[in-house]
């Protein structure tokens, strides 16, 4: 989609995910999208990732709230990152449009964060809570995580849909609640495997110490692959 | 040039950020001024002949080859409300991103460098039209249509209005759209003799006031 021309103005480079290298020759920040239904723990996952990785990586977050600024404010209140590393995008009641069909506002937010807080190693783009078909444009992110939880019903992996089936990582959150809501974790793992083939699945419980570890491990692997790409 | 480029530019799915904006419809719905298709039509007609006419003239002037930075200053002078200036520049920046990817040109690059935080959206729209080989009249049409299609789409989401009714409203506004685009192109043509004062400065005070109020709402569906 995005076409850059050679002579243009470096101060206005507009890196879509198609352009992995900054004008100065360094690789730009790895961009990871986090999507999933309402209330599954996307913002809590982002907060836990920031806490786990902020000492070793330069991180920024873009939130896509549906009708409030609550997600951005939650991250600010929890002080997981300084305010200049968090940007909120408004989505006009259509969260999937802002991450897939019209990514211009999100790309602008990423660009602003690079300018004010960069250089960055990792940008997390959190979608507003949406349905099982929400996926990120490849023009916006390099990889995407889909977050569901055990309390939303253990048949969600079996139902599939683009988020569950194609996300680079499927996170099944709130495993600590499984006994209370009668969710069968083994069946969820089996169904996810059937839907996703070799694509990875991470079970998380953010109420336990280091419960985010399966996700941080996965992100570290992605960062290693990303840094090893052509500069 | 290809006239069909106008369809691409004016398509509501053109990825330039418009989907997150209601064009003043959200505060009008909240105040009860838009409550059905009839009141939506009144709102759209009013917006078209004020803010829409100004936007169409700015777009037509830029498409006619007037200095975009000078037209941008004329846009500032015609946008007294801070919230709407911020919105216009934010949307201009998004339009710039989409335009440079779809119809790359040295003129777009130059305006992007001169206004890194975004020129007023109608100015960028006009320059995008020019880069696509379209005429000032075409640019006027695109800006005028956007002035009413945005609120109509937003009203469908805000009121659960029947989408067929909302589309019929847009169809009934077609003669007004013709008139606005034609007037916009005509004023753009007069700039060489009369300077930028030839551009219209029609305003809708209630749109201005409610836009500034809306910018402070803690909970809202649309960015403007």
């Amino acid at each position: 989609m995005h076409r850059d021309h050679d002579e243009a103005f470096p101060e206005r480079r507009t890196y879509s995910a198609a352009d992995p290298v900054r004008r100065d020759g360094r690789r730009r920040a790895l961009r990871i999208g986090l999507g999933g239904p309402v209330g599954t723990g996307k913002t809590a996952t982002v907060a836990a990732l920031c806490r786990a990785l902020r000492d070793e990586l330069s991180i920024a977050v873009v939130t896509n709230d549906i009708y409030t600024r609550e997600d951005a404010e939650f991250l600010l209140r929890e002080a997981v990152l300084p305010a200049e590393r968090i940007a909120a995008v408004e989505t006009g009641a259509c969260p999937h449009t802002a991450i897939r069909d019209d990514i211009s506002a999100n790309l602008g937010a990423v660009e602003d964060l690079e300018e004010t807080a960069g250089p960055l190693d990792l940008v997390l783009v959190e979608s507003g809570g949406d349905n099982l078909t929400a996926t990120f444009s490849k023009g916006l992110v390099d990889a995407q995580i889909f977050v569901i939880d055990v309390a939303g019903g253990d048949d969600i992996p079996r139902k599939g849909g683009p988020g569950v089936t194609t996300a680079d990582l499927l996170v099944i959150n709130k495993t600590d609640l499984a006994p209370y809501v009668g969710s069968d974790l083994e069946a969820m793992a089996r169904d996810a495997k059937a839907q996703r083939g070799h694509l990875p699945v991470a079970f998380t419980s953010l109420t336990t110490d280091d419960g985010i570890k399966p996700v941080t491990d996965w992100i570290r692997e992605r960062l290693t692959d990303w840094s090893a790409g052509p500069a | 040039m290809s006239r069909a480029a106008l369809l691409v530019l004016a398509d509501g799915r053109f990825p330039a950020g418009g989907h997150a904006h209601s064009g003043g419809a959200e505060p009008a719905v909240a105040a009860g001024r838009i409550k059905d298709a009839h009141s939506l039509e009144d709102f759209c007609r009013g917006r078209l002949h004020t803010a829409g006419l100004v936007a169409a003239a700015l777009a037509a002037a830029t498409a006619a080859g007037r200095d975009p930075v000078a037209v941008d200053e004329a846009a500032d002078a015609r946008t007294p409300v801070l919230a709407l200036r911020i919105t216009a520049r934010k949307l201009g920046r998004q339009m710039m991103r989409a335009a440079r990817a779809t119809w790359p040109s040295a003129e777009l690059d130059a305006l992007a460098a001169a206004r890194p935080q975004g020129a007023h959206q109608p100015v960028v729209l006009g320059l995008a039209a020019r880069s696509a080989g379209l005429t000032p009249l075409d640019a006027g049409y695109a800006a005028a249509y956007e002035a009413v299609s945005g609120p109509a789409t937003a009203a469908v989401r805000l009121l659960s209005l029947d989408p067929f009714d909302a589309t019929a409203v847009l169809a009934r506004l077609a003669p007004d759209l013709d008139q606005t685009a034609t007037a916009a192109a005509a004023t753009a043509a007069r700039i060489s003799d009369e300077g930028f004062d030839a551009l219209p400065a029609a305003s809708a005070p209630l749109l201005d006031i409610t836009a500034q109020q809306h910018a402070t709402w803690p909970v809202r569906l649309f960015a403007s």
Side-chain angles (χ1 to χ4, degrees), chain B residues 17-172:
Chain B
H19 70 95
H21 296 262
S22 80
E26 184 161 33
V29 165
R33 283 187 287 275
I34 300 178
K35 54 184 187 299
D36 52 22
H38 180 74
S39 45
L40 172 66
E41 184 169 340
D42 288 346
F43 177 91
C44 286
R45 185 171 280 110
R47 185 165 198 257
L48 177 61
H49 289 286
T50 51
L53 174 66
V54 174
L58 294 166
T62 313
R66 295 290 150 196
D67 173 15
V69 173
V71 183
D72 192 53
E73 285 168 5
D76 251 347
R78 284 159 179 76
T79 316
V81 171
L82 177 62
L84 288 177
R85 286 201 298 275
I86 291 171
T87 295
R89 292 193 179 283
K90 195 186 284 184
L91 282 172
R93 185 177 169 190
Q94 292 178 248
M95 171 61 73
M96 177 61 79
R97 186 183 303 276
R100 289 175 86 188
T102 28
W103 297 289
S105 77
E107 287 180 320
L108 283 169
D109 291 345
L111 180 59
R115 290 283 185 270
Q117 288 305 308
H120 278 257
Q121 193 266 3
V123 179
V124 187
L125 177 66
L127 201 56
R130 182 175 169 81
S131 298
L134 294 166
T135 66
L137 178 62
D138 294 332
Y141 263 104
Y145 180 63
E146 196 174 67
V148 293
S149 61
T153 309
V156 169
R157 292 188 212 159
L158 290 162
L159 286 170
S160 303
L161 197 67
D162 184 329
F164 301 124
D165 290 344
T167 304
V169 164
L170 293 175
R172 282 198 294 277

Side-chain angles (χ1 to χ4, degrees), chain A residues 61-65 68-69 72-73 86-90 109, chain B residues 90:
Chain A
V61 173
V62 181
T63 63
N64 283 251
D65 286 323
T68 69
R69 294 171 176 274
E73 281 166 10
I86 301 171
V89 166
E90 288 175 286
Chain B
K90 195 186 284 184

Side-chain angles (χ1 to χ4, degrees), chain A residues 38-59:
Chain A
V38 176
T40 55
K42 290 182 296 301
T43 309
T45 300
V46 167
L49 287 173
C50 290
R51 285 193 200 97
L53 295 169
R54 66 189 170 194
D55 292 338
E56 55 186 288
L57 298 172
S58 176
I59 306 177

